[in-house]
């Protein structure tokens, strides 16, 4: 009995030792596996974290085509390094993290609680929280997509809106969004054509001194910061500060070519003087439905363009000008097509230019000026001395003879540049003009005027019969004058 008990006890001890050794081996293997998984997870997380934190390289190039469109080309996929790929990876990472948490919980449930696995799991949780925080900050920065947009693309988008809605107030508003939009809105190419209406000034509303100062400060800022390449400028529905706006624009906009005042009042001679001194490139001036201020002491008004310019039209209300400038003595419009502008209520149609001494409406192209238009200008000008109508082919001798000018000294009526001279029929009535002004006429120019030979001979006879020897210059080139008439 003792021997058998001893053998049984030794067998049991061997089994217990084998079980304990098996348990030791089984316990050591999970520990090594968990450490290996933690090391692999640590390496993977570091690699993925480096990918997210690395700044994405721009995969585009911007080109300006002939049709003013931008071409964006990329050598790689258009979605590489973009926000959308980050969002997709973010979802996949969350799923992987969830799977990892599930596996960790399963291991914890199956295995007994030990101190060492807890120490190894804490760094993994901290790294998981860091990765989650990284994606949270990425979601917060998603609204900053405009900062990665090329400035050239933004300028072209703004240009489309400017063509449709105008530069003001659109560019002033989008310039306050961010620095990138402010830089794009400040591009001089967007400020070539500007129309300032009642965007911040309601028409008919009274302006306090504080409001007027704010308006002037805004105009100064626009002229200094935005109008460096301004070409076309328009003011609409302005009743005050029109002179100040024109002076600022003329001084700080050397490329100004066109100016339009629509439904504006209170324009004085100071504004036009500033335009004449500084706006050397100005070739179009439109005063549509605008009223000038009263210039009672203005004596000279001259609007000239280059000889090679064509069809430069200027709407003019003669009655309003006569009422505003009663002391006008010299009125010149060289190579400008004056268009008749309707008269408003409250304007006296009987006022004229009683002191006018010189009127020049010469042109190098076809003129639409008629006898009636000329009579509306000179119906009350008895002191007229110089009348320049070169290029005005629609004016007739009978219309000139009906003018109240009795002491005309110079008459320039040559047709140098008109292409309709050869097609027009023969004219008559020149002798009525020489008979009327034979006593005072000093210069006569009727070049290329197709008067008949008899009419020319009779007109020369009236000049010879004049008592005073006043004639100094006579231009008859291109006419039907005969040697007998000249003798």
């Amino acid at each position: 009995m003792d021997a058998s008990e001893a053998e049984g006890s030794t067998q049991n001890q061997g089994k217990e030792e084998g079980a304990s050794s098996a348990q030791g081996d089984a316990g050591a293997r999970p520990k090594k596996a968990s450490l290996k998984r933690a090391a692999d997870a640590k390496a993977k997380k570091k690699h993925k974290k480096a990918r997210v934190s690395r700044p994405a390289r721009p995969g585009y190039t911007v080109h300006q085509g002939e049709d003013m469109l931008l071409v964006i080309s990329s050598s790689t996929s258009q979605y590489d390094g973009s926000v959308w790929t980050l969002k997709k990876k973010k979802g996949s990472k969350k799923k992987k993290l969830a799977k990892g948490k599930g596996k960790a919980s399963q291991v914890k449930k199956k295995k007994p609680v030990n101190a060492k696995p807890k120490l190894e799991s804490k760094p993994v949780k901290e790294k998981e929280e860091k990765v989650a925080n990284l994606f949270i900050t990425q979601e917060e920065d998603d609204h900053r997509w405009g900062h990665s947009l090329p400035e050239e693309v933004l300028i072209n988008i703004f240009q489309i809106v400017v063509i449709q809605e105008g530069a003001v107030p659109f560019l002033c508003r989008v310039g306050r969004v961010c620095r990138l939009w402010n830089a794009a809105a400040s591009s001089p190419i967007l400020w070539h054509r500007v129309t300032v209406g009642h965007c911040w000034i309601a028409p008919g509303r009274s302006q306090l001194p504080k409001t007027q100062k704010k308006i002037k400060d805004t105009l100064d800022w626009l002229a200094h910061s935005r109008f460096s390449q301004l070409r076309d400028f328009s003011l609409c529905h302005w009743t005050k500060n029109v002179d100040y706006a024109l002076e600022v624009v003329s001084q700080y906009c050397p490329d100004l070519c066109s100016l339009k005042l629509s439904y504006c009042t209170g324009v004085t001679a100071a504004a036009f003087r500033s335009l004449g001194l500084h706006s050397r490139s100005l070739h179009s001036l439109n005063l549509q439905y605008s009223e000038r201020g009263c210039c009672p002491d203005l004596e000279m008004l001259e609007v000239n363009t280059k000889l090679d310019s064509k069809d430069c039209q200027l709407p003019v209300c003669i009655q309003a000008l006569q009422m505003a400038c009663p002391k006008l003595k010299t009125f010149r419009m060289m190579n400008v097509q004056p268009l008749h502008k309707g008269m408003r209520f409250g304007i006296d149609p009987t006022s004229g230019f009683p002191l006018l001494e010189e009127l020049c409406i010469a042109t190098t192209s076809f003129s639409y000026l008629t006898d009636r238009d000329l009579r509306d200008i000179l119906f009350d000008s008895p002191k007229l001395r110089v009348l320049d109508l070169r290029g005005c082919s629609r004016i007739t001798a009978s219309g000139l003879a009906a003018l109240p000018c009795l002491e005309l000294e110079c008459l320039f009526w040559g047709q140098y540049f008109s292409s309709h001279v050869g097609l027009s029929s023969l004219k008559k009535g020149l002798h009525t003009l020489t008979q009327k002004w034979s006593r005072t006429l000093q210069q006569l120019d009727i070049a290329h005027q197709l008067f008949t030979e008899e009419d020319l001979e009779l007109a020369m006879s009236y000049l010879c019969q004049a008592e005073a020897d006043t004639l100094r210059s006579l231009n008859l080139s291109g006419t039907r004058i005969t040697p007998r008439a000249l003798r």
Side-chain angles (χ1 to χ4, degrees):
M1 291 295 294
D2 295 336
S4 64
E5 287 178 357
E7 290 176 359
S9 62
T10 54
Q11 289 178 0
N12 291 333
Q13 288 178 359
K15 290 180 180 181
E16 289 177 358
E17 290 176 357
S20 62
S21 62
Q23 288 180 359
D25 295 338
R29 287 176 183 177
K31 289 180 183 178
K32 292 181 181 179
S34 62
L35 292 174
K36 187 176 182 181
R37 284 196 301 270
D40 294 340
K42 183 177 180 180
K44 289 181 180 180
K45 298 255 184 339
K46 284 184 178 180
H47 182 64
K48 291 180 180 179
K49 182 178 179 181
R51 284 184 180 180
V52 175
S53 61
R54 183 184 298 116
R57 296 180 179 179
Y60 59 83
T61 55
V62 182
H63 305 277
Q64 191 74 21
E66 294 181 356
D67 53 353
M68 299 302 291
L69 296 176
L70 288 174
V71 180
I72 303 177
S73 61
S74 177
S75 58
T76 59
S77 176
Q78 60 177 344
Y79 299 106
D80 291 345
S82 62
V83 179
W84 305 108
T85 55
L86 289 176
K87 287 187 177 180
K88 290 181 180 180
K89 291 179 180 180
K90 170 186 169 185
S92 61
K93 286 182 179 180
K94 282 186 176 180
K95 290 180 180 180
K96 289 181 180 180
L97 291 174
K99 289 180 180 180
K101 289 181 180 179
K103 289 181 180 180
S105 61
Q106 290 178 3
V107 172
K108 288 179 182 179
K109 289 180 181 178
K110 290 180 180 180
K111 300 297 178 180
V113 179
N114 297 323
K116 291 182 179 180
K118 286 183 180 180
L119 292 174
E120 292 295 331
S121 63
K122 284 183 179 180
V124 175
K125 289 183 179 180
E126 291 178 356
K127 291 173 184 177
E128 291 175 356
E129 290 177 357
K130 289 181 180 179
V131 174
N133 293 333
L134 178 62
F135 281 99
I136 291 174
T137 55
Q138 184 67 29
E139 289 179 355
E140 293 176 354
D141 292 343
D142 285 345
H143 69 279
R144 299 173 63 87
W145 61 269
H147 290 276
S148 60
L149 192 67
E151 186 176 340
E152 295 86 354
V153 177
L154 201 58
I155 290 174
N156 277 263
I157 296 173
F158 288 171
Q159 194 170 16
I160 296 173
V161 182
V162 166
I163 293 173
Q164 296 177 354
E165 300 184 3
V168 177
F170 169 73
L171 294 178
C172 298
R173 292 174 178 173
V174 299
R176 302 176 63 184
V177 175
C178 62
R179 292 183 178 179
L180 176 64
W181 285 39
N182 187 15
S186 304
S187 178
I189 195 174
L190 301 175
W191 296 88
H192 285 177
R193 190 173 184 178
V194 176
T195 299
V196 180
H198 45 80
C199 53
W200 77 80
I201 308 171
R205 186 175 293 180
S206 60
Q207 298 177 10
L208 299 176
K210 185 177 180 180
T211 305
Q212 292 188 7
K213 186 179 182 304
K214 183 178 179 182
I215 294 170
K216 292 180 179 180
D217 293 342
T218 304
L219 287 172
D220 292 337
W221 179 82
L222 287 172
H224 286 85
S225 305
R226 299 292 185 267
F227 289 173
S228 60
Q229 298 183 12
L230 181 65
R231 297 177 182 176
D232 299 337
F233 183 67
S234 300
L235 278 181
C236 302
H237 299 278
W238 276 45
T239 57
K240 296 181 180 180
N241 302 314
V242 180
D243 281 355
Y244 186 81
L246 295 183
E247 290 177 2
V248 170
V249 169
S250 62
Q251 291 178 10
Y252 296 98
C253 304
D255 299 330
L256 185 65
C257 299
S258 176
L259 176 63
K260 181 179 179 180
L261 303 180
S262 180
Y263 296 97
C264 296
T265 58
V267 188
T268 63
F272 292 102
R273 189 182 300 111
S274 179
L275 288 172
L277 292 175
H278 303 97
S279 301
R280 301 301 177 89
S281 302
L282 186 67
H283 62 78
S284 176
L285 179 62
N286 190 350
L287 305 179
Q288 181 181 10
Y289 304 112
S290 297
E291 296 179 358
R292 293 185 59 214
C294 184
C295 303
D297 298 328
L298 186 66
E299 296 183 356
M300 179 179 177
L301 178 60
E302 183 173 357
V303 182
N304 297 339
T305 60
K306 296 180 180 180
L307 293 178
D308 57 350
S309 59
K310 303 294 183 182
D311 297 332
C312 183
Q313 298 179 353
L314 178 64
V316 180
C317 182
I318 298 298
Q319 290 81 4
L321 187 61
Q322 290 170 344
M323 186 176 180
C325 308
K327 295 182 181 181
L328 193 66
K329 294 182 179 180
T330 304
F331 186 20
R332 298 171 183 167
M333 288 189 291
M334 296 288 292
N335 209 33
V336 175
Q337 296 287 342
L339 298 180
H340 180 69
K341 188 177 176 182
M343 185 177 60
R344 289 192 173 187
F345 296 103
I347 299 178
D348 186 9
T350 61
S351 60
F353 296 119
L355 303 179
L356 190 64
E357 297 179 357
E358 179 182 348
L359 176 64
C360 177
I361 316 181
T363 179
T364 58
S365 61
F366 184 74
S367 176
Y368 297 94
L369 190 70
T370 61
D371 293 339
R372 182 178 178 180
D373 299 332
L374 187 62
R375 186 173 62 253
D376 292 340
I377 299 174
L378 301 175
F379 75 93
D380 189 22
S381 303
K383 297 183 178 181
L384 190 68
R385 300 289 187 272
V386 180
L387 181 59
D388 191 350
L389 300 175
R390 285 173 292 181
C392 299
S393 58
R394 291 191 174 188
I395 301 297
T396 63
S398 59
L400 291 175
L403 295 176
C405 316
L406 302 177
E407 299 180 355
L408 192 67
E409 297 177 358
C410 302
L411 176 60
F412 303 99
W413 196 19
Q415 304 296 322
Y416 295 96
F417 308 99
S418 179
S419 60
H420 302 276
V421 173
L423 302 177
S424 60
S425 58
L426 296 178
K427 300 178 180 180
K428 294 182 180 180
L430 180 62
H431 65 282
T432 59
L433 302 181
T434 56
Q435 182 181 9
K436 180 178 181 179
W437 295 316
S438 61
R439 183 177 55 86
T440 60
L441 201 60
Q442 298 179 6
Q443 297 184 30
L444 178 61
D445 181 7
I446 55 171
H448 302 283
Q449 289 283 7
L450 298 182
F451 290 103
T452 61
E453 297 178 2
E454 294 79 7
D455 193 14
L456 287 170
E457 186 175 353
L458 185 58
M460 296 301 106
S461 65
Y462 282 119
L463 290 177
C464 295
Q465 294 175 3
E467 297 178 359
D469 188 11
T470 57
L471 190 62
R472 296 291 181 269
S473 175
L474 182 62
N475 190 351
L476 301 174
S477 61
T479 63
R480 292 174 174 265
I481 192 68
T482 60
R484 189 180 69 174
L486 287 177
R487 282 195 299 269

